[in-house]
Each structure stands twice: as C-alpha cells, then as structure tokens.
Amino acid sequence: MGLMGDKARLLETRRLVAAPGDGSDQDDQDPSSYGPGEGSPDADCATDAADLELETARRRAAESGDPASLSMLGALLLRRGDLDGAERHLRAATAEGDRSAANNLGVLLHQRGYPDEAASWWRVAAVAGSAAAAHALGRYHRERGDEPAAEYWLRQSAESGHALGAYALADLLEHRSDVGAERWFRSAAERGHREAAYRLARILDGRAPKASSLSDGLAEALGPAVGRQASGGPDTSVRELRAAAANGRRQDGPAGEAEQWYRQAAARGHRRAALHLGTLLEARGETQEAARWYLTSAKDGEPRAACALGFLLRDAGDTDSAAVWWRRAAQEGDGNAANALGALHADRGESQQAERWYRAALDAGDINGAYNLGLLCAEQSRTAQAEQWYRRAAYAGHKEAANALAVLLLQVGDSAGAEPWFSKAAEAGSVDAAFNLGILYAGRDEEQLAFQWYERAAAAGHTDAALQVAMALLRDGGAGDAEAAEHHLRVAVRGGSAEAAFRLGALLDRDDDSRSGCEEWYERAARQGHRRAQVRLGMLVAERGDVVAAAHWYRAAAEAGSRNGAFNLGLLLAREGSEQEAALWWARAAESGHGRAALRLALLAARRGDLAEGRLWCAQAVELGPAEVAERAARLRDALQQELTA
C-alpha cells in the first residue's frame, strides 16, 4: 500500500496524538492541539470504559494486520504513555504506509529523545501530505537554526490549514520582521489558536493610531512614585501597558479589531490577552469589566494583572484590597507591585515597610525601587543615603533620579556637580530637569541659556517654565514678544498658576481694546489668593462703584499681608465715613513700609490736633517715599514743627 493512498489521508483526520508543541511557555499552548480530551482529567475519567472497549476492538483488528487499526491502537497507547506498546504497533502501521502512524512514530521517538530519527519519520509523513508532520518537521529545523528548511515545511503545514503550522510560520516570519507574519497569525487565530489571536492583536494594537494624550488622572497613577515606562514586549510591566493604553486608541480600525482578538484569546484562557484587554477597557473608563479581566488573568497566575487590579482598587479607594493583590504580584517578582506597596506604606508613615518593598522592587530589577528609596531617605533627612540611591538609579538611566540627585547637590552648594546631572536628566526627557537648568543658568546671569531651557520645558507643558518664558518675553517689550508672552501665560494659567493669571490680566490691562478681558484673569488669580490680583480686582470693581466687592478684595489682600490692600481699604473706609477703622488699616500699611499710608496718618493726627504724633508719621513718610510723598510729608512736618514751637 502506498503512502499517498486514500486510506492514509482518511486516517490522518482521525489522529489522536498531535505533533510536539511550539516550544513556548504553557500560556502559549493551545489545549485543543493535543487531541480529544488531552489534558482534561475529567474527560479521561468519563471515557475510560469506552477507551477500554475501543482498545479491545483495535487489538482484535490488529491481529488481522489492518494498518488503520494498528495506527489507531498505537496512537491510543502513545496517548496513555505506553511507549513500548505504541512503538511496536506504530512501526507496523508505518511499514504498511500509514502516514498518521509515521507522524505519531515521530512524536514517540521525539519523546524518547531521538529527535533526528523522529525527523526522518516526520519527513516521510509530511511528504505523504501530513500537515501535522510538516509542522513538527519545521519546528525541528528551526530549533537547529535551519530557517530556510523550517520555513519550507511550516509553509507546507500552514497552507494545508494546520493551525499550529500557521502559528509557527507566523512566529518565524515575525522573528525576521517579515510583514507576512500577520497573515499566518490571522489564519491560525481564525482556527481557534489563542496565542495566534493574542499575537495578531498585539500587531494590530501597535498599528492603532493614538486618539488622545494621557489623561491627567491616569498620568498621576503612572507617576514615578510607583514607577512606570512604556513598550509592548512579552516582559512589559503593567505600568508600560497601562501607559500605552492610556494614550488613547480609537475603537474602530486596527484598534477595534485588536480588541476583538484580545477578547477571543482571553475567552480561551490566555492570561496575557486578558491583561491587555483589561488595560484597554480601563483606559476607556470601563473599569468594572476591566477589573473582571484583570481578576481572571491574575487568578491564572499573571502577576502584572494582579498589579493592575491593585491599582484599579486603589483608585476606587480600597487600598486594603489593593495591597492584597500588590503583595501577591510582588511575591511573584513584580517590581512595579513592590513599588506600589512601598508607596502605600510610605503614605501611611510606615517607613520600614516602605523600605522593605522598595528594596524588593530593586531586587526584582525595577530601578524605580532605587529612586523611591532615595525619596524615602530624603524625606527622613538621610541625605547621604538619598544621594547613594539617587546615584544608583541615575547611573541606570532613571531621568527623575538624575534630576533629584542634581537638586540634592545644588542644595548642598555643589552647583558644578549638579549641572551635568540636570543636563543628563533633561536630555533624557525630564521636564523638571529642563526647568531646573533654567533656574541654574538664571542664577549665574546666563539669561540666554536660561531662556532656552525654560522654553524647552514650557514646550513640554511645564507651568512654571511657561511663566518664566512669558516674563522674559515681556521684559524684551516687542509687539511680537507680547503676543508670544500671552500664549505662554495662557499655558501657565491652564496649569493652575495664579501668578500667570495675574500677569495675563496685567498684560490685557495695558491695552484699552483688551482691558475688558483683564478682570476675568485678575479674579481667577484673586480667588487663588494672589494678593496683587486681589488689589487690582478691588480697584476695577471700585471704579464701577461696587464698594462692597472692592472692600471684600482689599480686605482679603490686607489680611494676607498686602500693604497696598490695607492702604486702599483704608481709603475706601474713610470715604464711607469710617475714619477710625481706616486709620487701623493705614497703620498696618505704614508699619509694612507704605509711605502714603504714613502721610494719611500724619494728616489725621494733624486734624485731631495731635501735632507730635503727626510729626512722627511725617518723618516715617519722608523716609518711606516715594518722592512726591516725601516732599509733601516734609512740608507738613515743617508746618507742624512751627506750630509746636510757636
């Protein structure tokens, strides 16, 4: 009987034992590839009686020498682990030209540790049209570094519709950065291969355009205190996955298709697909479903999912439950979870526990642990230890640690030592370091260099840097500079800067055409407690006759220590007939160095006839100025002196 006979092709469809797996970890395996009931103890128990009856029938058939019966019996014995019995029957069937037996004989020999002999039988079966044998033969050649031979046989298997062959071919092509990998991942995924579905989803997810920038809330959650980065390889931490997902992906096109494949793989028990699906859902705000997938993945042994679930629970206010999952992930070597636990204990004032977990994160290879240890030591004024940990993290490329190290060196007066670390951090993308370099150069009167670094930080959205750029532009005084300054002030205002809001109001206040818009910005700054803005706002509302509102803002500024606020409040009270209370506020202003307030007090004293007190306030007004006030005070002082000596 020839190897290409019809009966051989029919038997191949009834094969009970598949070729070896793809050589990946258990999460990459597809349980369906092992044949009916393989890997399922319950299925085996339920079919024991039927298998025994089948074996008896096959043995009777085998006595007649029928190759199909011999092949099936050999496959059954191989499945049960009876290699000696299986080999005898499989060799007998193979001798009669049964390609399924040849494939399974290859499997048996591979299990016995004879890969070269196994490959010879897989070749026989593959030439006869066995897709499973072609897959196994392709794997054999790839393991030995013969990629051309591997591709040839894997392509034979894949083009015959074999899911494992399609997956293995895709894996080989992707390793070579061949765009054809996507086609074969898709082919395998459509046949139910869960790892192929996951890998296809990763390709599509990487192609999906970003729809928005990182949200403020999630950006904070991904901050350096618990450590985050961004990429997509197999060892990607949960901080990287959440950061990538939070960048925002549109739900149509490649992103929508990626989610569908993640779902298919996750539904088939792929824990990494469940993790990625959870990150996508969380980024869209669908936290309940995200939590379910994180939980599924975590229970299947994925520490990154346990870590992500912890963050989700933390964000919901359940820090105790978050700690449980972080601890579980940290104990399995997840450095990000260990950092999160450390941060949690640090927030609670439990510094010893915090240090323990930061060290665990560092031991797990997460350099954020060293940075966080530096922060912890700095908070405890353990400067030498803080410098040690910052240096360790900085030398490993941690940009925020480099910035923190530079700040620490600057605080102890080592500006020469600080500068290169600020530069290293800034070049690595630290916005704070770029701003700090601006401060450093400004302190040395190197205004041009300072401006360049301020501008760089401002372009990245740094609020204080945007304010500094605006102030520098306003000092130049050009029309174009004023327009650019307004832009930067608005950026700083969006970042919450009260000073920027005040200066934006002052800029608009210069021009009659734009003056109507200045009150909005003065009020925004005033409500944030900006004293000069409160005084300016008081003046604006006083001009239109709103005495109550003016008094409110003057009083707020005065009580916060503004001498102008106190002086203006005194003027308002005096006009309203409350000279006695006005005098109290003028006194407060004068004691803070306000010359006009001192002159007002001198005039009040003179009207009351208290010439001596008047002379004292005149002397203070002369000293404080400004020039016109000093001149008036001097004349009044001389007049009072004449009255006293008359």
Side-chain angles (χ1 to χ4, degrees), residues 195-233:
E195 178 67 14
Y198 170 72
R199 299 276 289 275
L200 176 60
R202 297 298 295 135
I203 291 172
L204 295 167
D205 200 10
R207 189 184 301 155
K210 295 179 181 179
S212 64
S213 61
L214 199 66
S215 66
D216 293 340
L218 198 50
E220 180 279 327
L222 303 176
V226 292
R228 303 287 194 283
Q229 303 168 40
S231 79

Side-chain angles (χ1 to χ4, degrees), residues 21-112:
D22 289 14
S24 50
D25 62 40
Q26 184 63 35
D27 194 33
D28 295 345
Q29 301 290 338
D30 190 337
S32 66
S33 68
Y34 293 95
E38 185 71 5
S40 175
D42 292 339
D44 285 344
C45 293
T47 58
D48 275 347
D51 285 346
L52 181 59
E53 182 180 357
L54 176 62
E55 184 179 354
T56 302
R58 297 307 182 200
R59 285 186 184 278
R60 283 200 299 267
E63 292 173 359
S64 66
D66 176 51
S69 299
L70 290 169
S71 178
M72 292 294 285
L73 180 56
L76 178 60
L77 293 171
L78 177 58
R79 178 179 176 184
R80 292 189 172 186
D82 183 358
L83 301 188
D84 291 334
E87 183 172 356
R88 178 167 57 86
H89 293 293
L90 289 173
R91 285 190 182 276
T94 300
E96 294 295 326
D98 189 292
R99 72 175 186 186
S100 180
N103 175 54
N104 288 335
L105 180 58
V107 174
L108 184 147
L109 291 168
H110 190 275
Q111 290 181 13
R112 285 190 182 278

Side-chain angles (χ1 to χ4, degrees), residues 219-549:
E220 180 279 327
L222 303 176
V226 292
R228 303 287 194 283
Q229 303 168 40
S231 79
D235 295 324
T236 305
S237 69
V238 69
R239 63 172 170 264
E240 298 167 333
L241 298 178
R242 295 176 86 221
N247 277 335
R249 306 272 188 195
R250 292 174 54 186
Q251 295 182 45
D252 56 356
E257 189 180 0
E259 182 176 335
Q260 292 174 12
W261 289 113
Y262 279 140
R263 285 187 180 277
Q264 178 170 310
R268 293 176 61 83
H270 195 291
R271 61 177 183 261
R272 281 183 288 153
L275 170 62
H276 280 271
L277 180 57
T279 62
L280 293 178
L281 292 166
E282 182 185 359
R284 290 211 302 262
E286 299 175 33
T287 54
Q288 288 188 337
E289 188 179 359
R292 289 199 297 272
W293 286 113
Y294 285 151
L295 182 61
T296 297
S297 181
K299 286 183 175 179
D300 284 342
E302 176 54 68
R304 293 172 298 168
C307 181
L309 182 58
F311 283 116
L312 208 57
L313 291 165
R314 188 279 309 267
D315 294 344
D318 189 355
T319 55
D320 291 337
S321 296
V324 170
W325 287 104
W326 281 334
R327 187 171 291 106
R328 177 169 173 172
Q331 288 169 346
E332 293 181 27
D334 190 290
N336 192 35
N339 269 317
L341 272 175
L344 182 63
H345 286 293
D347 288 343
R348 293 173 176 175
E350 300 164 354
S351 58
Q352 288 185 335
Q353 287 295 316
E355 183 169 345
R356 171 198 166 194
W357 286 111
Y358 288 151
R359 287 181 181 273
L362 188 58
D363 291 342
D366 193 329
I367 199 61
N368 282 291
Y371 172 60
N372 288 333
L373 281 166
L375 292 175
L376 188 66
C377 290
E379 289 172 1
Q380 298 170 346
S381 300
R382 293 156 57 192
T383 306
Q385 293 94 326
E387 181 179 345
Q388 169 194 346
W389 290 117
Y390 286 151
R391 282 189 185 276
R392 181 166 177 177
Y395 276 121
H398 196 295
K399 61 186 180 183
E400 297 307 334
N403 178 60
L405 174 60
V407 169
L408 188 127
L409 292 171
L410 199 60
Q411 288 171 345
V412 298
D414 186 3
S415 62
E419 183 177 350
W421 286 112
F422 277 139
S423 295
K424 184 175 181 178
E427 293 296 346
S430 170
V431 180
D432 286 336
F435 175 67
N436 289 335
L437 268 177
I439 294 175
L440 185 68
Y441 288 125
R444 297 175 182 172
D445 293 326
E446 298 180 52
E447 297 297 336
Q448 188 59 38
L449 280 173
F451 182 80
Q452 289 173 7
W453 285 107
Y454 284 147
E455 197 168 36
R456 183 166 173 174
H462 194 287
T463 297
D464 292 332
L467 175 60
Q468 290 298 324
V469 170
M471 290 168 63
L473 291 169
L474 289 172
R475 282 195 298 270
D476 292 342
D481 288 340
E483 185 176 342
E486 181 177 345
H487 165 74
H488 285 289
L489 287 173
R490 290 183 183 275
V491 170
V493 168
R494 287 197 294 271
S497 171
E499 180 67 22
F502 166 71
R503 288 182 179 271
L504 178 57
L507 181 62
L508 297 174
D509 207 356
R510 294 179 182 180
D511 190 335
D512 291 338
D513 293 335
S514 61
R515 196 180 184 210
S516 60
C518 70
E519 184 175 334
E520 172 190 352
W521 304 110
Y522 283 148
E523 184 171 358
R524 178 177 295 198
R527 293 189 183 281
Q528 291 179 255
H530 194 286
R531 294 181 303 179
R532 292 176 67 193
Q534 289 168 339
V535 173
R536 291 283 186 91
L537 183 58
M539 293 170 65
L540 283 179
V541 296
E543 283 179 9
R544 63 169 183 259
D546 192 344
V547 176
V548 174

